[in-house]
Each structure stands twice: as C-alpha cells, then as structure tokens.
Amino acid sequence: MKLVKHSLLESVYQFWWLIVCSIIFMLLAYLLEHNKLYFLSHIARDIGIALLVSFFIILTIEHRQREDLSNQFSSFMSSTHDHILQSVLGVQFPDNVYQYVKEKIMKETFFRVDSNIVYVLSHSNSQKYGIESVNISVEASHTVCNLTNKMQVYPIKVFVERDPATLNEDLRLERSGACIEIDGDVLKEDQLIKADASWSDTPEFVRFQYDVELPAGGQRRTKFSYTRQKLIRDTEVWRSVYPSNGVYFTIKFPDDMEVFVDAMHSDDLEYRHRSAGIIICRITRPLLPHNGFMFWWSPKPVLTTAVDDPGPLVAS
C-alpha cells in the first residue's frame, strides 16, 4: 500500500505541468471573454478543461497500473518467500513441513545461546514408591536474544516433574525446590507463585512461566534450578523449548553408578570428557524446539569372585 501511495505522488509530480497549463488557459479564457473575444475565449477554456481532464485520466490509469503491478509484485514475493527453500535446494518439501519450519524457526522472535546444563545425581536416604531412590539436581542457564527490532516479552517456561508420592498442593513450590534467576537476581516467593499460576499444571508436571521484557536486539541471562527425587534406576530427559545454537551439559554421579547418554538430535553427541563420576558432552549444531538429550542410570553390577572348582572328589 505504501508503494502505491508513493507511486501516486510520483505521478502528480511528473504531470504537474498539465495542471499549470490548464490554469493558464482558464485565466486566458477569462481575460478574452472580458475583452469580448468570445470565440477565442471558448477555445482557451476548452483547452484548459481538456488539459485538466487529461491530468486526471493519466493519474487514474497510472494509479491502477501501478497498483496492479504492486499487487503482482507482492504476490510474487510472497510465493517466492514461501518456496525459497525449495527454490534454493531444489527439493519440494511437503507444505506442512515448510509451515512448521516457518512458524518454529523463520518467524521465531527469540533465540538462545550459551545453553549450559548441569545434572548432579546423589544417593538418597529415603525411598520412592517403596524403591531405593536418588536425588537429582539440575541447573539450566541460557542467554536469550531478542531477534527483532522492537521490545518483546519473553516467557520463561520451565517444568518440573511431579511426584505424586511426595508432592503437596499447598507446598509444591517449596518441595519442588524450584529457583529462577534473571541476570543473577533470584525471583522472590511471590514472583515464583505468580510464575506457577501463569502456566497450568498437568498430572505429570508442575509448570512455571515468568514474563520478562527484552529490548530490541537485547539479551538476558536466565537460570533455572531444582532438585527432585527419582528411582535408583531411572531416566531423565532435557528438551529445549526455543531454538538454540547448541547445548553444553555435564552429568555428575556417584562412582558406584553407571550413566548412559543419548542425543535427541540428528547429530551424535560430542564427548568432551568421560570418567568415573562425570560425563561432559555437547551438541554443537543448532537445536530446534524439543531437541535435546536424555540419559539413564542404574547401580553398577556387583562383581562376584568365582571360587576355583576343586574337581571331583576321589575316594581312596
């Protein structure tokens, strides 16, 4: 629409002389009529009217042509934009695949960098469901970037697995051990309660959402931590809610346990360090929403020493 308005003004500037000539001939017609030169007055008046009509005809035609051209250009650009991946790669993606990519990546207003996740497993003195358990603590930190040229409200979304055996509705925040930090400032209890109320819980998860403002092109550092109780043989899954440039994570565990890790990503994990009690990995390429990693653990098998077979007994 702006292009059409701009083109209309260009047409006015281009054919302004028709208006000027029309006014001159109309004034000339008036002077000739005043001097009783009626024949010449009529000719001058008709010429002035013809110039004025010509101006509006040209303006109308120019406007319609430019409007049609603008609409065709917009349609072409929209079509080209919608199929740019197909055009560049020479692959015809299903429409629902392209729409998903456009919605989740190309139109995403936020991007996370420097994602760092630390898990710590430790033995627990209590049981869960009557089964031996472990405590698992997690600390997840990210730098969130606003990709747009205007202020955006970023919803910090995190969720904690519910434990129906120990979770009390009235004390769920305290017992879940949830802690949210923004640029190093820890949210107070009333802010945590507000964050908990902003996102409804499910039978499986206690969910939190806390909104923060990000200036145009700005960024903020967020951190979320909590401690939960899980079974001695169990699994943990971490997934990224927003697109990210990768993830770096550490898993610490007792020496008498074994831990295995797998990537929820098209790439394999890159192991930075692995030894008794600690695993450090990273995924170097970008993560799409819900990409991440999972790991599972169990006690190490107890090795028993075999007793040498003395052989058959021989009576003598």
Side-chain angles (χ1 to χ4, degrees):
M1 191 64 182
K2 290 183 178 179
L3 179 61
V4 174
K5 289 182 178 178
H6 183 66
S7 299
L8 185 61
L9 290 175
E10 283 185 349
S11 298
V12 172
Y13 294 149
Q14 185 176 358
F15 297 101
W16 62 269
W17 57 271
L18 287 174
I19 294 290
V20 174
C21 291
S22 175
I23 294 173
I24 292 173
F25 274 97
M26 296 296 285
L27 290 174
L28 181 61
Y30 173 78
L31 294 174
L32 292 172
E33 184 178 1
H34 184 72
N35 290 294
K36 298 182 179 181
L37 299 173
Y38 300 111
F39 178 73
L40 295 176
S41 173
H42 291 163
I43 293 176
R45 183 192 62 191
D46 292 343
I47 293 174
I49 293 173
L51 290 172
L52 186 62
V53 171
S54 298
F55 172 78
F56 284 107
I57 290 176
I58 292 173
L59 201 64
T60 302
I61 294 174
E62 282 276 325
H63 175 70
R64 288 180 179 176
Q65 287 180 339
R66 290 178 183 271
E67 188 175 27
D68 290 342
L69 181 61
S70 176
N71 292 335
Q72 291 174 8
F73 179 76
S74 298
S75 177
F76 171 76
M77 289 301 296
S78 177
S79 176
T80 302
H81 180 267
D82 286 346
H83 300 284
I84 190 168
L85 291 179
Q86 292 91 319
S87 301
V88 172
L89 301 178
V91 178
Q92 187 67 34
F93 289 101
D95 186 63
N96 60 343
V97 174
Y98 177 73
Q99 292 301 324
Y100 177 82
V101 172
K102 183 169 70 172
E103 176 186 347
K104 296 297 183 180
I105 302 176
M106 299 170 67
K107 289 189 174 182
E108 181 57 66
T109 54
F110 303 108
F111 189 76
R112 297 202 299 202
V113 299
D114 300 330
S115 295
N116 187 46
I117 319 297
V118 178
Y119 279 97
V120 178
L121 291 169
S122 59
H123 288 293
S124 174
N125 295 324
S126 58
Q127 293 186 335
K128 182 176 181 180
Y129 310 124
I131 303 173
E132 188 179 354
S133 66
V134 295
N135 293 323
I136 180 169
S137 300
V138 60
E139 181 180 285
S141 56
H142 320 269
T143 297
V144 184
C145 304
N146 180 0
L147 301 179
T148 70
N149 58 1
K150 60 181 179 180
M151 189 276 292
Q152 297 286 347
V153 175
Y154 171 70
I156 301 175
K157 291 184 176 182
V158 290
F159 45 88
V160 180
E161 182 181 358
R162 293 187 75 147
D163 182 358
T166 59
L167 199 59
N168 183 291
E169 280 292 325
D170 297 330
L171 299 174
R172 61 174 177 239
L173 289 173
E174 177 183 345
R175 294 191 179 185
S176 67
C179 176
I180 299 176
E181 295 183 26
I182 303 171
D183 295 329
D185 296 327
V186 180
L187 295 191
K188 298 179 181 178
E189 183 180 355
D190 59 333
Q191 294 173 308
L192 257 185
I193 293 174
K194 179 182 177 181
D196 184 31
S198 297
W199 196 9
S200 59
D201 298 338
T202 69
E204 295 81 17
F205 298 101
V206 176
R207 303 193 298 186
F208 302 85
Q209 177 176 320
Y210 189 79
D211 295 338
V212 295
E213 293 185 353
L214 267 72
Q219 60 184 33
R220 303 190 73 171
R221 187 72 179 174
T222 66
K223 183 165 70 173
F224 177 70
S225 59
Y226 66 91
T227 300
R228 302 295 295 133
Q229 187 182 32
K230 303 203 74 168
L231 298 178
I232 191 69
R233 290 177 174 85
D234 216 330
T235 303
E236 178 76 4
V237 176
W238 180 87
R239 296 175 295 173
S240 181
V241 179
Y242 292 94
S244 170
N245 70 337
V247 62
Y248 191 97
F249 64 92
T250 302
I251 305 170
K252 301 177 181 179
F253 51 94
D255 291 343
D256 60 350
M257 299 186 68
E258 54 184 8
V259 175
F260 303 93
V261 191
D262 192 20
M264 298 168 59
H265 193 274
S266 59
D267 289 357
D268 292 331
L269 291 172
E270 179 183 327
Y271 283 88
R272 307 293 292 173
H273 177 80
R274 183 165 192 164
S275 62
I278 187 170
I279 295 175
I280 302 175
C281 297
R282 70 176 181 178
I283 301 175
T284 56
R285 292 211 292 178
L287 276 66
L288 302 180
H290 303 293
N291 279 160
F293 62 91
M294 64 180 297
F295 63 98
W296 57 100
W297 61 88
S298 63
K300 285 183 178 179
V302 178
L303 300 178
T304 57
T305 304
V307 178
D308 293 338
D309 187 355
L313 296 176
V314 179
S316 59

